[in-house]
Amino acid sequence: MATKCEFCPLRRKSLFAPMSKEDVSNMQRFKVGELVVDPGTPILLEGSNSPQLYTVLHGMGLRSRLLSEGQRQVVNFVFPGDFLGLQAGVMGEMGHSVEATTKLTLCVFDRSELWAFIKADPERGFELAWLAAVEEHFLGEALTTVGQRTALQSIAWAFVRIYLRAHASGIASDGKMRFPFRQQDLADALGLSLVHTNKTIRTLKSRQLVGWGDDNIQIHDLKALAKIGLTTLETPKTRPIM
Amino acid sequence: MATKCEFCPLRRKSLFAPMSKEDVSNMQRFKVGELVVDPGTPILLEGSNSPQLYTVLHGMGLRSRLLSEGQRQVVNFVFPGDFLGLQAGVMGEMGHSVEATTKLTLCVFDRSELWAFIKADPERGFELAWLAAVEEHFLGEALTTVGQRTALQSIAWAFVRIYLRAHASGIASDGKMRFPFRQQDLADALGLSLVHTNKTIRTLKSRQLVGWGDDNIQIHDLKALAKIGLTTLETPKTRPIM
DNA sequence: CGAATGTTTGACTGGAGTCAATGAGGGTGG
DNA sequence: CCACCCTCATTGACTCCAGTCAAACATTCG
C-alpha cells in the first residue's frame, strides 16, 4: 500500500521545506510506486545510469565508492528524506553506489519523467539544484574532516553531524537514535582504519561523551563532542524533499 | 568591454554542453556585467550569501574552507567555465570561500534574478542541478582520494584530474598547462603537509612523469600517472555553462 | 642589500596503520 | 541443547607513512 504524498509523514519534519498543495499533487503524479528492499541490497551502482530515482521514506543506507585496490570510501550515510539517483538523473551517471543497510522503503520515480516533471513546475528544477547543493555542501565539510581533522576530531565531528541530521529528521531525541552501521562503515567514511576507529570510539566512550552499541547511539554530551570535533551545533539547513 | 554571450569563447569548448540560440539570449539578459579582479582577491565568503553569482571567463582560483585551528582545506581548483555562488544562490549560504589566484575575469549575474531566469526557461533549472551534481561528483572523488589514497597516489591523481580538466577546457595541450598555484595549495587540497607534498612531487619529477615550476605543469607520462593514482584517463563529462 | 615568499632537505617524532589474537553474541544444524 | 561458525568488537605489539621542526636555497622586489 503506497503512501500518498499528501500524507507523507516526512514532509512535515522541520528539516524539509514546505510544499504547496500543487507541488504535492505534482509530486504524486511523478511517483510511480513504492519499493521495499532488504538490508544489504544494492540500490544504485557507481558508474551506472539508473532508469529510476528514489526518495527514502524509511530506513538507512550507505553511499560509497570503490577503489581498484579494494578500498572503500563511504561518501555519506543515507537517511529518510534523502533523494537517490540525482547524479544519474542529471549527469547520466552515478558517482557512487548506494546500498541498503536496514530494510528500506523507497518512493520510486521514473527518470524519463524527470524532465516533464520539471517543465510542469520550474520551481522543482530549482529545488533539484538545491538538493544537489546540499549534498555538495556536505561533501565539502566531509572532505575538510578527512583532510584536516585528527581521528578523535573526525569521529566527534561525525557523531555531531549524524545526530543533528537525525534529530532534524525527527528520528532522534534525548540524544538517542538508531544507527545500524558497523565501525567499519564509520572508518571507511572517515578514511581511518578499523582498529584505530575502534580505539578512538573507545576513548570517547570512556570520557562519557557517547555510547554506541546494539545499533543505537546515545549522545551524552553533544556540546563537548562539538568542541572536540571543531564544529558547531547548528541545525542542518532546511532542504527540499522530492 | 563586456563579452557578449553570443561570442563567448568558452561555450564552444568540448567540455561544455551546447546551448540553443534562445538559451544564449536568455543568458545574455541575465548577465549584468563583467568583473575583473586581481590575484588574491576574495570573491565569495564561506557562510555568506552573495547577492551576485559569477561564471569564470578567464583565470584561475581556489575554493577553500577554514577550520577553527587555522587549517585550510582546498575544496577544488577554479577553472574557466566554473560557476561560482551556486550554493548561495539556492541554499542561501556558501559552504566554502572562493578567491582569485590569477587575475580573474568574471561574468556577473544577479542572484535576485535567478528565479525569474529559471522560470523563463525551465531547462536552465535542470542545468543548474546538473552543475551542482558535477561538483558533487567531483567532491566524492576527492573525498575518496584524501580518505583512501597514499600521498604518492593522491598527487598523481591530482595531476591527472587537473590536466584532463584543463585539456577539456581548451587551456592545455601537449601535456603542458598553466598552473599558478603553490605547493601549499596542493597540499591543502590533498590533506597533506607541505613538506611531504614537496618530497612526493620530487619523486614524480625524478621519475620523469611530470614537471612543475614557474607556474607551469608539464605532463610527461599521463598514463603512468593515472596508473599510480589508481584512476582512469577518461575525459571529464560534458557539463552546462552559465 | 635586506625582506618576503616559496622550494628543498635532513633529522626526528608520532599518529595512525598493520598484524594477530581474543572476546562476545547470534544463528543453526545435528 | 550444544558445538560450531560467522560477524563484529576489542586489545596488544609492532611498524611506517606522513607530520613537525629547523635550516638552507632560490627568486623577486622595494
Side-chain angles (χ1 to χ4, degrees):
Chain A
M1 186 59 7
T3 311
K4 292 260 183 256
C5 294
E6 187 184 347
F7 304 115
C8 177
L10 265 180
R11 224 183 58 226
R12 326 278 177 66
K13 304 296 181 181
S14 64
L15 179 60
F16 305 107
M19 288 169 68
S20 70
K21 265 221 165 71
E22 195 197 332
D23 287 341
V24 174
S25 71
N26 247 309
M27 203 71 243
Q28 181 72 64
R29 272 198 300 281
F30 186 36
K31 177 170 176 176
V32 298
E34 227 164 272
L35 179 64
V36 177
V37 302
D38 284 328
T41 309
I43 315 286
L44 295 167
L45 279 186
E46 182 179 347
S48 73
N49 183 358
S50 166
Q52 312 212 289
L53 309 174
Y54 311 94
T55 289
V56 179
L57 247 188
H58 187 80
M60 296 182 187
L62 287 175
R63 299 181 192 260
S64 64
R65 293 175 57 99
L66 288 179
L67 228 45
S68 51
E69 317 274 85
Q71 305 103 298
R72 180 180 71 149
Q73 176 69 42
V74 167
V75 166
N76 203 348
F77 294 97
V78 172
F79 285 99
D82 279 0
F83 188 59
L84 310 178
L86 189 148
Q87 287 185 14
V90 297
M91 297 180 39
E93 185 176 321
M94 290 299 292
H96 55 259
S97 301
V98 181
E99 70 175 74
T101 299
T102 64
K103 196 170 83 161
L104 273 191
T105 305
L106 304 166
C107 300
V108 183
F109 310 103
D110 272 339
R111 182 189 181 301
S112 60
E113 291 300 313
L114 182 61
W115 177 233
F117 171 63
I118 286 176
K119 209 158 51 182
D121 185 356
E123 187 167 0
R124 300 306 276 173
F126 182 86
E127 298 196 329
L128 210 59
W130 183 352
L131 268 183
V134 166
E135 204 62 30
E136 180 199 340
H137 188 282
F138 175 81
L139 288 178
E141 201 179 332
L143 181 59
T144 303
T145 295
V146 176
Q148 309 298 331
R149 284 184 243 250
T150 65
L152 188 69
Q153 292 168 344
S154 293
I155 291 183
W157 170 84
F159 278 128
V160 172
R161 283 287 144 264
I162 288 166
Y163 178 73
L164 291 177
R165 167 73 162 86
H167 188 262
S169 308
I171 55 175
S173 57
D174 297 328
K176 200 161 179 310
M177 66 174 283
R178 184 124 205 287
F179 193 69
F181 300 94
R182 295 168 299 128
Q183 295 188 351
Q184 183 72 63
D185 297 323
L186 186 59
D188 287 347
L190 298 173
L192 298 169
S193 72
L194 171 60
V195 173
H196 197 55
T197 299
N198 177 284
K199 288 173 180 169
T200 307
I201 293 172
R202 216 100 257 295
T203 302
L204 291 175
K205 280 181 178 172
S206 73
R207 291 193 199 167
Q208 307 283 313
L209 301 178
V210 288
W212 180 14
D214 292 318
D215 293 350
N216 282 293
I217 282 180
Q218 171 75 54
I219 305 284
H220 294 122
D221 192 339
L222 191 61
K223 215 170 141 189
L225 283 172
K227 191 172 175 193
I228 292 174
L230 307 182
T231 187
T232 64
L233 293 178
E234 78 182 316
T235 298
K237 306 191 86 65
T238 300
R239 69 185 73 183
I241 183 167
M242 292 285 158
Chain B
M1 184 60 7
T3 310
K4 291 260 185 253
C5 294
E6 189 183 348
F7 304 114
C8 177
L10 265 180
R11 224 184 58 225
R12 325 277 177 67
K13 304 294 181 183
S14 65
L15 179 59
F16 304 107
M19 288 169 68
S20 69
K21 265 222 166 72
E22 196 198 331
D23 286 342
V24 175
S25 71
N26 245 310
M27 203 71 244
Q28 180 71 66
R29 271 200 299 283
F30 185 36
K31 178 170 174 176
V32 299
E34 228 164 273
L35 179 63
V36 177
V37 302
D38 284 327
T41 309
I43 315 285
L44 295 167
L45 278 185
E46 182 179 347
S48 73
N49 183 358
S50 166
Q52 312 211 288
L53 309 173
Y54 312 92
T55 290
V56 178
L57 248 189
H58 187 79
M60 297 182 185
L62 287 174
R63 299 181 192 260
S64 65
R65 295 175 54 101
L66 288 179
L67 228 47
S68 52
E69 316 275 88
Q71 304 104 301
R72 180 180 74 148
Q73 176 69 40
V74 167
V75 166
N76 203 348
F77 294 97
V78 172
F79 285 100
D82 279 0
F83 188 58
L84 310 178
L86 189 148
Q87 288 185 14
V90 298
M91 296 179 40
E93 185 176 319
M94 290 300 290
H96 55 260
S97 301
V98 180
E99 69 175 74
T101 299
T102 65
K103 195 169 86 159
L104 272 190
T105 306
L106 305 165
C107 300
V108 183
F109 310 102
D110 272 339
R111 183 190 181 299
S112 59
E113 291 301 312
L114 182 60
W115 177 234
F117 171 64
I118 286 177
K119 208 157 52 181
D121 185 356
E123 187 166 359
R124 300 307 276 174
F126 181 87
E127 299 196 329
L128 209 60
W130 183 352
L131 267 184
V134 166
E135 203 62 28
E136 180 198 340
H137 188 282
F138 174 82
L139 288 178
E141 201 179 332
L143 181 60
T144 303
T145 295
V146 176
Q148 309 299 329
R149 284 184 244 252
T150 64
L152 188 70
Q153 292 169 343
S154 293
I155 290 182
W157 169 84
F159 278 129
V160 173
R161 284 285 143 265
I162 288 166
Y163 178 73
L164 290 177
R165 168 71 161 87
H167 187 262
S169 309
I171 55 175
S173 59
D174 298 327
K176 198 161 180 313
M177 67 174 283
R178 183 121 207 288
F179 193 68
F181 300 95
R182 296 168 297 128
Q183 296 188 351
Q184 184 72 64
D185 297 324
L186 185 58
D188 288 345
L190 298 173
L192 298 169
S193 72
L194 170 61
V195 173
H196 197 55
T197 298
N198 176 284
K199 288 173 180 169
T200 307
I201 292 172
R202 219 97 255 296
T203 302
L204 291 175
K205 280 181 179 172
S206 72
R207 291 192 200 168
Q208 306 282 314
L209 300 178
V210 65
W212 179 13
D214 292 318
D215 292 352
N216 283 294
I217 282 180
Q218 171 75 52
I219 305 285
H220 295 121
D221 192 339
L222 191 61
K223 215 170 141 188
L225 283 173
K227 191 171 174 192
I228 292 174
L230 306 182
T231 186
T232 65
L233 292 179
E234 78 181 317
T235 298
K237 306 189 88 62
T238 300
R239 71 186 71 184
I241 183 167
M242 292 284 156

